[in-house]
Amino acid sequence: MIRDKEVTSVQVVDAHIRLMKRLNPTLNAVVQDSYAAARWQAHKADNEVAKGHTDLPPFHGVPCTIKECFSVEGMPQTGGVVARKGFVADHDATAVARLREAGAIPLGVTNLSEGCMWVESSNKVYGRTNNPYDPNRMVGGSSGGEGAIVGSGASPFGLGSDVGGSIRLPAFFNGVFGHKPTGGLVPSTGQWPTAENEALRFLCTGPLTRRAEDLFPLLNVLRGPDGIDPVTVDMELGDPNAVDIKGMNVVYVPNNGTYVTRELRNSHAAAAKALQNMGANVRQMRIEKFSKSFEIWSHMLGSANDTPFRTLIGHDQAVPLRTELLRWMAGRSNHTLPALALSALETMTFMVPDDVGPTQELAQTLRAEIAAELGPGGVMLYPTFSRPAPRHHWSMLVPFHAAYTAIFNVLENPVTAVPLGIFPPNVSRSAFRWWDCTARITSPSPWRWH
């Protein structure tokens, strides 16, 4: 529409800024805006259209948002860690630079979990992000700000990172599309925090979008080596337009042994049925090794990284856990409870055993089993999480349910989170009965929809 002069980039950018200004006080998704720079870039984009330039990039003049862990020149990059408060990036990360080269215009940077390692986007630098469909519910993490602002309609697409579900969980909880690429497809250069050694292939950069058709063009812009990231390689991508659902092999796996709510079971079954009606060969099955998902992910990620998480959130100084837990109980800690809990857990052998060889063999076997079941061009339907977006803090009760997404980081499979619908409170309440009773005492406000 911008290229065809149906609208101007200034009009598009201003429309999104107006919506962002109206919604963000409730959402707390965008933690630092760049409205003035965005409007200037939009004027520049319109001038190029007016001059009749025909070689315009694919996202010419289109606004977007960026997760705060990516370096964006002139913007904060704290990773949600208090020790980095005040840090301002002096250059663009590779993925950010590629989006700019493709014509995209960043409107700001978005909130995340402390150290990018939790399923709720909350930290002591910016606070907590709220769901656009109900502020009492969580947005996922760690790219939760992206999920919320894209889900609200105030940003057409955003850039996220994912080492255990950080793109897919926010996409799922906020009703948008999110893609975790194959390991090594998109460089992670310019992120903080980043991964180390083999875990660089587990950490993936990818898009969150309101529309499914934007995923592949964005991935095509982001992919490929940058000469800096040591694990990124050239890969040949297929053509989405060449995909034929008729005859496609679809494997439907309802769960990994962990309870999945009735609403999600029904939605997944409906998706499988829809594909079957379109001619796909659908098989329902159970893959037993998925029950070991959290064990595989935690062992492989923990053994690959040299820097402990407690050192990461202290910005190169190990956090004294006992002292910080006492400070947290007194309301004086610079760290969230999930971050302190993760720091304590990583010292336990069940998280990272001395010998990860058996776990790596198990992961290789699981990867081979999935490949054999799917065959060339096959697709697997699998839950993103065990239930729709829970209320705030609820994730502390079931911390291992993120294994639904985390397993595919260490297997290095590409995964897309696809929205399945909106569950109103009278439908999904049964899934949260105990927590709802608690929440009503402390937070009596009803669901609010935007």
Side-chain angles (χ1 to χ4, degrees):
M1 292 175 68
I2 293 171
R3 284 195 295 269
D4 294 341
K5 300 182 181 180
E6 296 177 36
V7 294
T8 66
S9 176
V10 169
Q11 289 173 328
V12 173
V13 166
D14 279 343
H16 285 87
I17 289 176
R18 284 196 299 272
L19 188 57
M20 198 172 287
K21 284 183 174 180
R22 180 162 67 88
L23 299 182
N24 200 57
T26 298
L27 301 180
N28 190 32
V30 176
V31 294
Q32 179 66 56
D33 68 73
S34 54
Y35 297 155
R39 287 189 173 108
W40 179 83
Q41 291 165 22
H43 279 290
K44 183 178 178 182
D46 288 334
N47 288 337
E48 293 179 7
V49 173
K51 291 177 181 177
H53 292 175
T54 58
D55 57 342
L56 299 175
F59 293 94
H60 183 78
V62 179
C64 68
T65 42
I66 309 291
K67 184 179 181 181
E68 198 258 18
C69 70
F70 290 93
S71 59
V72 180
E73 185 176 1
M75 302 295 279
Q77 188 191 19
T78 68
V81 171
V82 170
R84 282 178 62 90
K85 192 172 182 179
F87 183 90
V88 176
D90 59 4
H91 67 284
D92 286 339
T94 297
V96 176
R98 288 178 176 178
L99 287 179
R100 288 196 199 270
E101 290 169 7
I105 299 175
L107 297 181
V109 293
T110 56
N111 205 16
L112 65 182
S113 55
E114 182 179 358
C116 295
M117 279 296 286
W118 190 243
V119 297
E120 174 126 34
S121 291
S122 178
N123 57 72
K124 296 292 185 175
V125 181
Y126 303 117
R128 186 184 69 200
T129 299
N130 302 313
N131 195 293
Y133 289 97
D134 176 9
N136 295 312
R137 295 185 183 261
M138 57 189 283
V139 296
S142 60
S143 308
E146 283 304 319
I149 204 65
V150 175
S152 75
S155 177
F157 70 87
L159 183 68
S161 61
D162 189 315
V163 78
S166 292
I167 288 173
R168 292 157 289 160
L169 289 168
F172 172 66
F173 289 153
N174 296 278
V176 298
F177 297 87
H179 184 72
K180 182 207 84 68
T182 300
L185 178 64
V186 179
S188 296
T189 308
Q191 287 191 50
W192 194 95
T194 188
E196 300 167 320
N197 308 316
E198 186 184 8
L200 281 168
R201 293 185 62 87
F202 307 157
L203 175 62
C204 298
T205 297
L208 293 91
T209 67
R210 293 179 62 198
R211 297 177 178 272
E213 56 263 42
D214 290 334
L215 290 173
F216 183 80
L218 284 166
L219 190 64
N220 208 27
V221 164
L222 295 170
R223 71 184 180 103
D226 63 352
I228 303 173
D229 189 313
V231 302
T232 307
V233 297
D234 275 316
M235 298 184 193
E236 183 178 352
L237 299 185
D239 181 3
N241 295 319
V243 174
D244 187 2
I245 294 179
K246 189 174 183 179
M248 175 186 288
N249 188 26
V250 176
V251 175
Y252 167 42
V253 182
N255 59 66
N256 65 3
T258 301
Y259 173 76
V260 173
T261 62
R262 181 183 69 255
E263 300 92 345
L264 287 185
R265 293 199 305 270
N266 292 342
S267 294
H268 277 111
K273 183 65 175 177
L275 289 171
Q276 188 173 43
N277 291 341
M278 295 172 70
N281 299 318
V282 179
R283 293 181 295 120
Q284 180 175 335
M285 65 178 298
R286 177 176 173 82
I287 298 179
E288 295 294 339
K289 293 182 182 64
F290 274 143
S291 64
K292 300 287 187 181
S293 291
F294 184 80
E295 174 185 328
I296 295 172
W297 174 78
S298 62
H299 289 188
M300 293 182 67
L301 182 66
S303 64
N305 279 321
D306 294 330
T307 305
F309 185 66
R310 62 186 180 278
T311 302
L312 187 83
I313 61 174
H315 195 31
D316 298 331
Q317 291 188 353
V319 172
L321 293 181
R322 292 182 181 179
T323 301
E324 282 303 318
L325 282 170
L326 291 172
R327 288 173 60 86
W328 181 86
M329 287 187 284
R332 299 180 60 190
S333 177
N334 287 332
H335 304 283
T336 59
L337 182 59
L340 296 175
L342 286 171
S343 298
L345 280 173
E346 70 178 351
T347 63
M348 301 180 182
T349 55
F350 81 89
M351 290 287 287
V352 186
D354 293 333
D355 182 11
V356 296
T359 302
Q360 292 173 332
E361 291 178 10
L362 182 60
Q364 292 172 0
T365 304
L366 175 56
R367 186 186 296 117
E369 182 177 351
I370 293 172
E373 293 292 347
L374 295 183
V379 172
M380 183 170 71
L381 302 184
Y382 191 64
T384 305
F385 198 65
S386 60
R387 61 209 67 212
R391 292 185 181 273
H392 292 299
H393 312 300
W394 182 90
S395 56
M396 289 293 291
L397 300 176
V398 285
F400 303 134
H401 286 205
Y404 275 108
T405 53
I407 182 62
F408 297 105
N409 290 82
V410 295
L411 297 182
E412 301 183 28
N413 297 118
V415 186
T416 302
V418 178
L420 293 176
I422 297 174
F423 301 110
N426 63 332
V427 172
S428 61
R429 184 169 293 159
S430 61
F432 311 105
R433 187 164 295 151
W434 177 85
W435 188 247
D436 276 352
C437 292
T438 306
R440 275 196 290 270
I441 296 172
T442 58
S443 181
S445 60
W447 280 56
R448 287 187 287 171
W449 299 77
H450 296 284

